[in-house]
Amino acid sequence: MKFRKALSVLATSTILAGALSGCTTSDKPASSDSPAQSASAPASSAPGNSSAALEKLGLDANFKFKETRKIKVEVYDRGNPGGTKPENNVYTKYIKDGMLRDHNVDVTFVPVPRWTEGEAINNLLAGNQAPDISLTYSYPTIQTYANMGGVLDLGPLLKDNKDLLPNMWNYLTEANIYWDKDPSKGTLWAIESRLNTLNRTNTFVREDWLKKLNLQAPKTLSEFENMLKAFKDNASTLLGKDAAKMIPFSTSFDVGWRTDHLTAAYVPSNITDKDIYTHDFDDRRFLYPNYKEGIKTLNKWYNQGLVWKDFALYPAGDKTEDNLMKAGYVGAFMHNWDYPYRNGADSIQAGIQKLVGPDAAYIAVEPFANDAGVYKKFLSGPVDRKIFFPATNKEPIASLLYLDWISKLDNRVFLQFGEEGVTRQTLPDGSVKTIAATGEKIMNSPANIDYTITSNGLDIGDPAKTVKSIANGYAGIDAKYIEKANQITTHDGRVGKNANVGAIKAEDGQGQALKEKRDTLLNKAVVAPVDKFDAVYDAGMKDYLGSGGQAIIDERTAAWEKAFGKETKLK
């Protein structure tokens, strides 16, 4: 009853927060279902080589269930035009057939909207409808439901069944598996998938426009700003009859992600690990010191007519901005490190070349240095999505075997590249080249990361061949663009460290609400009149901090000092 009441309270507060922010959420009543006995049974004894232990789990010597088990697995739905159904396609069939063949596990995929995944998984958990294998980028969401008994503790399950999972343990290693383990309680609510490359974002500009205006690729903030002004002032030269459609710089409602290189340049070079940890619960870094000055620069550009005036009007997943880029109207933008080169024949690069000409292209540039003259990028640790089992999971062993199967090299490589001779070609040097996929063989996400959930990014088992394969992996795109983007995105990067000091209670239930406040604050600040910027930004920040942000900072600070004392750096 305690869990049921807690879920109902959270569901009600989530609905209220959604109503206040103009969003809607599910108000399905929570149930009092608890995990079946099978969820805890494996913790009592490790299988090892014991046939009796395997027999107790219902497995044969090959880790195959004697009776078919059924599990549901979350998969992101990106709503790709021309894509396939995320829950039913060539790649889901490969997984389903393989799991039945190897483990006698019947898999059903449950699509969750990628661009609102945090809200969606909240609603599914509140309604006791989350898939047996769930994932999210929001650890506070997991922690919230774990505190109410709504998430399985993976610690004993992983420890006592380790011998069943050689592929997962070898691939993720203890670092990723135990990344989120509570240092005092020992609980483990999620494991972190492996981020194979730390590539995050890049700044892109139209290479052909630079050539037309006899400009060099910008290497400083002032050069970048002057370039944007040159694009605007020469709209007729660059766009002819479409000059009025000129967009020197584009961004989206997600200002925090989409202007990351600019804002990072304003963060002091001497920021400590302590400062990062205590202010890093927002993954857009917008609580970092001096971040406001980066947004102030964007505000200035907006008021000078250099920024797409409608950027805040389109929600996540909307393709309007992409289409403007494909049409050739956008001079510069920041986005995922390879964004203009993704999706083969439907890529932004292919689109502008089709409409504008073969010389039209975006190229990655590096114009934003910090106070030490370093092009600092704040990079993630080697972790990605958080994988967890809701308490309603009645088949935890089958679910663990799924994670092991999906971590096996042969399975990962097939999912990343598809069929030899059809969607991939192995070159003489051992690297792999992607062949543009059509029809049912199209991948809805880069390298099928929505299915390789323990892995994000290419990995063919050999680091050198993997790097070459990355450059080869963009059908119809000259490898030189990929190589440059790959080099710049992590240059002068500061890799995230794991300051695991335990759960921060102040974060419970705050993830989605604070995210929405952050996005609203940044959107309003960018479009404010220049003389109103400080007032708008400061009022929004005051509201954010007063709505739970400051409490999180304070609790994180206390937790850091308890764990590390006066130390400000992690080893």
Side-chain angles (χ1 to χ4, degrees), residues 110-406:
V110 179
V112 169
R114 167 64 185 95
W115 312 115
T116 54
E117 62 94 8
E119 181 179 348
I121 200 66
N122 248 310
N123 292 336
L124 288 169
L125 282 164
N128 277 345
Q129 296 178 331
D132 300 306
I133 300 177
S134 291
L135 56 142
T136 180
Y137 286 93
S138 173
Y139 188 77
T141 295
I142 300 171
Q143 184 68 62
T144 297
Y145 286 92
N147 290 343
M148 294 186 277
V151 177
L152 291 183
D153 182 359
L154 295 175
L157 284 167
L158 289 167
K159 178 183 177 182
D160 293 338
N161 298 285
K162 185 174 183 178
D163 290 343
L164 297 178
L165 314 168
N167 298 294
M168 189 187 77
W169 277 92
N170 289 337
Y171 185 61
L172 294 182
T173 74
E174 289 192 1
N176 280 56
I177 288 174
Y178 288 131
W179 186 276
D180 295 315
K181 183 177 180 180
D182 189 290
S184 57
K185 298 179 181 178
T187 50
L188 183 65
W189 305 122
I191 62 175
E192 298 277 349
S193 66
R194 174 173 162 175
L195 189 61
N196 290 313
T197 60
L198 300 182
N199 298 3
R200 196 164 185 260
T201 59
N202 262 325
T203 304
F204 300 97
V205 303
R206 281 285 292 275
E207 183 183 36
D208 53 320
W209 285 10
L210 293 176
K211 292 178 180 177
K212 283 186 179 181
L213 300 180
N214 197 28
L215 297 173
Q216 297 295 314
K219 296 181 179 179
T220 66
L221 174 61
S222 62
E223 288 180 2
F224 187 85
E225 185 173 306
N226 289 336
M227 177 197 71
L228 297 182
K229 292 176 180 177
F231 289 166
K232 179 185 178 184
D233 294 343
N234 292 278
S236 295
T237 300
L238 299 171
L239 292 177
K241 62 182 177 60
D242 290 324
K245 298 178 180 178
M246 161 63 71
I247 301 174
F249 182 82
S250 185
T251 189
S252 79
F253 80 97
D254 191 356
V255 172
W257 178 261
R258 292 289 303 280
T259 61
D260 180 64
H261 281 189
L262 173 66
T263 52
Y266 283 92
V267 177
S269 58
N270 63 353
I271 185 172
T272 66
D273 291 335
K274 179 181 180 181
D275 288 336
I276 288 176
Y277 171 73
T278 54
H279 293 80
D280 204 31
F281 55 91
D282 179 275
D283 65 356
R284 298 317 193 231
R285 331 289 191 195
F286 106 114
L287 293 170
Y288 281 17
N290 222 34
Y291 184 96
K292 176 183 175 182
E293 296 306 309
I295 302 301
K296 181 177 286 188
T297 295
L298 194 64
N299 168 263
K300 179 182 71 172
W301 292 351
Y302 184 88
N303 282 282
Q304 291 174 342
L306 302 178
V307 178
W308 183 32
K309 64 182 178 63
D310 296 331
F311 76 89
L313 300 181
Y314 298 94
D318 186 274
K319 299 300 180 182
T320 300
E321 185 189 17
D322 285 9
N323 292 334
L324 291 170
M325 295 173 184
K326 291 178 181 179
Y329 304 144
V330 177
F333 66 96
M334 300 176 210
H335 213 307
N336 297 337
W337 78 274
D338 59 348
Y339 195 74
Y341 316 126
R342 294 180 175 184
N343 300 327
D346 193 42
S347 70
I348 289 168
Q349 192 93 312
I352 57 173
Q353 290 178 346
K354 187 182 303 179
L355 290 175
V356 178
D359 294 331
Y362 284 106
I363 189 170
V365 297
E366 194 171 30
F368 307 117
N370 67 10
D371 57 351
V374 175
Y375 295 95
K376 184 64 65 185
K377 288 92 174 176
F378 292 96
L379 306 176
S380 168
V383 296
D384 189 60
R385 293 152 293 183
K386 297 87 177 73
I387 304 169
F388 67 101
F389 297 173
T392 49
N393 183 329
K394 299 177 182 179
E395 296 289 351
I397 301 302
S399 300
L400 288 175
L401 288 172
Y402 180 93
L403 297 182
D404 188 75
W405 192 93
I406 214 75

Side-chain angles (χ1 to χ4, degrees), residues 457-471:
L458 294 183
D459 174 27
I460 61 174
D462 180 293
K465 293 176 182 178
T466 296
V467 171
K468 292 180 180 179
S469 298
I470 290 173

